[in-house]
């Protein structure tokens, strides 16, 4: 299980295990992780964990969220990453990874899958595309409905990680935290916004 160690001026403040799939950090007492400092926004940032991966997202904070000195909007977290929120320094420590199944020798030589993209099919953004060239891509609105598209050696998967609304894959409701394989032509429905997964142009 991943943990974060929060310090201020070199002194430990608290150590937190990321026990939930989504944990918010901010000044307001309703957050999972509360930092009572005026430079911390009421809802500052959020940690999201899915399977062995974790990422950090800024929630439009006033003073920003920084990782290794760079201001971020979304960031896939790695061992040793140093996060800065106002006067606080936060060290990220990943948990032990799940044991991977042995890879057959023939599979090791298999080329990486082609890049995919998401095409919006309705609404104001109809026709727009999003290239899925990152290890993790989030879609949706935090607190309402969020899915994560994961790019791995075997291809793409999608999982519902946050929100009370239920996304649909090919017209069927998706179970929370259950990764589904994406194949070209699959459609996602996120609260009425319809998207299609397809190969990216070469």
């Amino acid at each position: 299980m991943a943990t974060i160690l929060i310090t201020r001026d070199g002194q430990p403040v608290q150590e937190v295990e990321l026990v939930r799939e989504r944990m918010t950090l901010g000044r307001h007492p309703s957050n999972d992780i509360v930092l009572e400092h005026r430079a911390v926004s009421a809802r500052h940032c959020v940690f999201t964990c899915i399977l062995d991966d974790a990422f950090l997202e800024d929630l439009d904070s006033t003073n920003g969220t920084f990782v290794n000195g760079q201001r971020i909007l979304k960031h896939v977290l790695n061992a040793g990453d140093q996060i800065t929120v106002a006067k606080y320094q936060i060290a990220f420590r990943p948990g032990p990874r799940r044991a991977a199944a042995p890879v057959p020798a023939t599979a090791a030589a298999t080329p990486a899958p082609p890049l995919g993209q998401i095409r919006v099919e309705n609404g104001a953004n109809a026709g727009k595309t999003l290239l899925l060239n990152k290890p993790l891509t989030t879609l949706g609105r935090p607190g309402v409905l969020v899915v994560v598209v994961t790019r791995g050696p075997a291809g793409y998967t999608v999982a519902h990680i946050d929100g009370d609304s239920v996304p649909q894959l090919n017209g069927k409701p998706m179970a929370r935290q259950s990764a589904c394989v994406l194949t070209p032509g699959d459609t996602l429905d996120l609260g009425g916004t319809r998207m299609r997964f397809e190969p990216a142009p070469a």
Side-chain angles (χ1 to χ4, degrees), residues 83-202:
I83 304 159
T84 302
V85 172
K87 298 293 185 179
Y88 299 90
Q89 291 73 48
I90 305 172
F92 174 73
R93 299 173 177 172
R97 300 187 70 86
R98 294 172 175 81
V103 178
T106 53
T110 303
L115 280 176
Q117 67 180 20
I118 290 288
R119 181 182 298 276
V120 181
E121 295 196 318
N122 65 345
N125 293 316
K128 291 187 177 181
T129 59
L130 174 65
L131 186 63
L132 302 173
N133 58 352
K134 299 178 182 178
L136 295 172
T137 302
T138 57
L139 303 170
R141 184 186 304 174
V144 178
L145 172 59
V146 177
V147 299
V148 131
V149 178
T150 303
R151 182 188 180 207
Y156 290 88
T157 60
V158 61
H160 176 206
I161 62 167
D162 183 51
D164 293 331
S165 298
V166 179
Q168 294 187 351
L169 177 63
N170 297 324
K172 296 181 179 179
M174 292 176 57
R176 184 185 283 272
Q177 281 288 80
S178 179
C180 302
V181 175
L182 281 174
T183 57
D186 282 350
T187 58
L188 283 167
D189 190 314
L190 306 184
T193 300
R194 193 170 61 254
M195 307 174 183
R196 182 177 298 273
F197 173 72
E198 58 187 30

Side-chain angles (χ1 to χ4, degrees), residues 5-165:
L5 176 63
I6 304 173
T7 61
R8 181 177 176 183
D9 300 326
Q11 299 299 313
V13 175
Q14 57 178 307
E15 185 171 2
V16 180
E17 290 187 336
L18 301 179
V19 295
R20 296 170 55 192
E21 63 190 43
R22 177 182 168 85
M23 296 183 67
T24 59
L25 180 151
R27 190 179 67 252
H28 194 275
S30 63
N31 289 283
D32 301 294
I33 306 162
V34 179
L35 297 179
E36 296 179 352
H37 190 280
R38 62 180 180 274
V40 178
S41 293
R43 283 171 54 84
H44 199 103
C45 59
V46 59
F47 294 88
T48 302
C49 298
I50 178 169
L51 301 178
D52 288 326
D53 297 305
F55 60 95
L56 176 66
E57 181 177 355
D58 183 78
L59 296 176
D60 294 323
S61 65
T62 301
N63 294 314
T65 302
F66 296 80
V67 177
N68 303 327
Q70 300 295 317
R71 187 166 185 166
I72 62 97
L73 295 178
K74 296 178 183 177
H75 178 81
V76 179
L77 290 168
N78 298 295
D81 276 350
Q82 295 293 319
I83 304 159
T84 302
V85 172
K87 298 293 185 179
Y88 299 90
Q89 291 73 48
I90 305 172
F92 174 73
R93 299 173 177 172
R97 300 187 70 86
R98 294 172 175 81
V103 178
T106 53
T110 303
L115 280 176
Q117 67 180 20
I118 290 288
R119 181 182 298 276
V120 181
E121 295 196 318
N122 65 345
N125 293 316
K128 291 187 177 181
T129 59
L130 174 65
L131 186 63
L132 302 173
N133 58 352
K134 299 178 182 178
L136 295 172
T137 302
T138 57
L139 303 170
R141 184 186 304 174
V144 178
L145 172 59
V146 177
V147 299
V148 131
V149 178
T150 303
R151 182 188 180 207
Y156 290 88
T157 60
V158 61
H160 176 206
I161 62 167
D162 183 51
D164 293 331
S165 298

